[in-house]
Amino acid sequence: NITIAPDFQAVYGTFHEPIAQALTINTPNKEAGIFATSLELYFQQKSQSYQVINGVNTYPYGVTVYLCETNNGYPDGSKILPFSTTHLDYNSINVSNNSANVATKFTFESPVFLQNGLTYAFIVKPDNNDPDYRVYSANLGNLDIDTNQQVFQQPAVGTAFYGATTTQWTALQTEYIKFKLNRAAFTNAYGNAVFNNANTDFLTVYNVGYSNSSVGIL
């Protein structure tokens, strides 16, 4: 008897570095893009490292998630998208030990615009490079841990990566992190934007001409 089990080892087994997943935005009606509001990940395990403070076990390490651009299909951790960085502490991380159906939501500071047709990536980085955090993934050809159905395709164009740093990555060619990217649904066709000038102590004016030997500036 041969039992095929889901393969999670390549993502969390021996690597203590950040992991990432590339994804390509394809809007249903060729809209310019989407505004991503949050990212949901599925953890199999969280930090085992703790400190004893006043007789209580305290777990200091959480997880940071952020969106970034890609370079030749690889995550570029030096180009983080504005408002996409979010951190959750240990107590906010949900775990499902025997399934992959309990999500942990990382809500962005503000909706993040992702342009249609472009490939982005999200990066998952535990505090202090804690090796105990493990996320669920799928490997093509293996069985889904929840449905027992074979994984034969992935809907988001892009592969998973593990990194020596946030800018140097090794592709996991047939492996994909399980995630859900949530987007905003707008109900109003218009809105108001308010822009405030930053406080300026000094004002320099260039290329101002004058006539009749005087000029006024308001």
Side-chain angles (χ1 to χ4, degrees), residues 57-171:
N57 293 347
T58 301
Y59 296 84
Y61 301 137
V63 174
T64 297
V65 166
Y66 50 89
L67 300 174
C68 68
E69 297 180 10
T70 58
N71 186 2
N72 294 324
Y74 283 74
D76 188 345
S78 67
K79 296 182 179 179
I80 301 173
L81 300 185
F83 309 113
S84 71
T85 302
T86 180
H87 178 272
L88 292 180
D89 60 24
Y90 172 91
N91 294 323
S92 300
I93 304 294
N94 300 320
V95 168
S96 51
N97 294 319
N98 299 314
S99 65
N101 55 19
V102 180
T104 297
K105 180 181 288 188
F106 293 81
T107 301
F108 303 134
E109 178 183 351
S110 179
V112 180
F113 181 74
L114 303 177
Q115 184 175 336
N116 182 43
L118 294 187
T119 299
Y120 300 90
F122 65 80
I123 296 177
V124 185
K125 184 174 176 53
D127 297 344
N128 200 41
N129 289 329
D130 191 323
D132 297 326
Y133 277 101
R134 304 176 180 179
V135 296
Y136 282 106
S137 67
N139 202 348
L140 288 181
N142 285 358
L143 300 180
D144 188 289
I145 194 173
D146 291 323
T147 65
N148 207 39
Q149 300 296 312
Q150 186 178 33
V151 178
F152 62 91
Q153 67 177 1
Q154 63 104 358
V157 178
T159 188
F161 302 85
Y162 72 88
T165 67
T166 55
T167 57
Q168 297 176 315
W169 302 93
T170 298

Side-chain angles (χ1 to χ4, degrees), residues 177-190:
I177 297 172
K178 181 175 182 178
F179 71 96
K180 180 187 293 184
L181 182 67
N182 298 310
R183 63 175 181 172
F186 298 102
T187 57
N188 294 324
Y190 63 90

